[in-house]
Amino acid sequence: MKTRLKELRKAKGLTLSALAERTGTSNQHISHLENGRRRLTTEWLDKLARELQCHPFDVLEPDVPYLSAQEDFLLRVFRELTPAQKAAIAGAVTELKTKSVPDAL
């Protein structure tokens, strides 16, 4: 399975050594995870996501891009909201779905 681990690590300005130290492993282990030579378990997804400050799914690279740029933006912003803000957004979207809104927005 392809991952975005290397891309995310570099975007955070972390070296292999730094990420390895933060996750309690070796540089070689991180390198193997980045290059698909080691299986990325859910435990490792959680550890890496915590250190890279992202959602575990962000570490995985989908086989086929399935989100538009707008959807990706909305998802990333949504993930940064508090639970109360997420609930408010969910309520607003539910209400919006029941109303007639012109497509030209």
Side-chain angles (χ1 to χ4, degrees):
M1 173 178 285
K2 292 182 180 181
T3 72
R4 297 180 58 230
L5 181 54
K6 186 182 236 178
E7 173 188 342
L8 293 168
R9 175 180 60 78
K10 287 184 174 187
K12 290 290 182 184
L14 296 172
T15 62
L16 277 171
S17 299
L19 185 56
E21 185 176 325
R22 288 180 179 202
T23 56
T25 192
S26 67
N27 299 3
Q28 184 179 23
H29 191 173
I30 297 296
S31 177
H32 286 318
L33 290 171
E34 287 183 350
N35 295 305
R37 291 189 300 264
R38 287 241 171 99
R39 196 172 129 240
L40 193 56
T41 64
T42 54
E43 180 183 343
W44 271 104
L45 271 176
D46 287 340
K47 275 185 188 184
L48 294 165
R50 189 171 35 254
E51 294 305 324
L52 295 168
Q53 300 172 336
C54 66
H55 191 278
F57 289 155
D58 292 337
V59 178
L60 303 175
E61 184 174 297
D63 292 334
V64 178
Y66 60 95
L67 295 178
S68 69
Q70 187 178 37
E71 290 168 327
D72 184 60
F73 169 78
L74 290 171
L75 181 58
R76 288 181 188 282
V77 169
F78 184 80
R79 286 177 176 161
E80 294 174 1
L81 299 176
T82 66
Q85 291 170 320
K86 288 177 181 179
I89 292 292
V93 168
T94 301
E95 186 177 327
L96 186 61
K97 281 177 50 178
T98 62
K99 295 183 178 183
S100 175
V101 179
D103 288 338
L105 289 180

